[in-house]
């Protein structure tokens, strides 16, 4: 809660996760494990330099941060895809529409103008 209280902006991972929790009863920790690697992959054109620092901090300089995070999450035995929590593509339009209504998706590092872009992220997490 400290980042929220201090004004640190959240992005698409948090916004989509909020919808997954509210609409599908997926625990927040699981939504982060599922969505953060996909959002990082989608955001890479906008913040590759910052992601490079994340990969280096994880001990994998020069590697893809989203892939490294996904591997780390897999090692913890946490769910890594929407299908792992029984959310299929038939729900993606609804999730994308609702995610656009959160305060976090519009603050994503890579600009998200509408539900179609959220759906691109959902496809990466399918």
């Amino acid at each position: 809660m400290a980042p929220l209280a201090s004004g640190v902006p959240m992005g698409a991972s948090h916004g989509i996760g909020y919808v997954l929790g509210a609409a599908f009863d997926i625990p927040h920790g699981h939504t982060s494990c599922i969505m953060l690697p996909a959002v990082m992959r989608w955001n890479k054109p906008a913040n590759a330099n910052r992601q490079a620092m994340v990969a280096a901090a994880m001990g994998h300089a020069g590697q893809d941060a989203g892939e490294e995070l996904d591997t780390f999450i897999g090692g913890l035995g946490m769910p890594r895809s929407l299908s792992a929590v029984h959310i299929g593509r038939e729900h993606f339009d609804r999730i994308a529409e609702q995610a656009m209504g959160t305060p976090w998706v519009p603050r994503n590092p890579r600009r998200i103008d509408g539900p179609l872009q959220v759906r691109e992220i959902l496809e990466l997490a399918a």
Side-chain angles (χ1 to χ4, degrees), residues 37-110:
V39 169
M40 288 178 73
R41 289 179 189 114
W42 195 85
N43 280 341
K44 193 170 182 179
N47 64 4
N49 290 341
R50 296 182 106 189
Q51 289 195 32
M53 290 188 287
V54 170
M58 293 178 74
H60 298 280
Q63 301 299 314
D64 183 88
E67 294 298 324
E68 293 302 327
L69 181 59
D70 190 44
T71 299
F72 176 79
I73 291 166
L76 297 174
M78 298 297 287
R80 295 169 39 217
S81 68
L82 291 168
S83 63
V85 292
H86 311 291
I87 297 177
R89 286 179 169 86
E90 69 274 13
H91 301 291
F92 286 7
D93 288 337
R94 173 180 165 206
I95 296 166
E97 288 285 340
Q98 290 180 354
M100 287 303 299
T102 70
W104 304 290
V105 170
R107 294 186 179 134
N108 193 62
R110 180 176 168 192

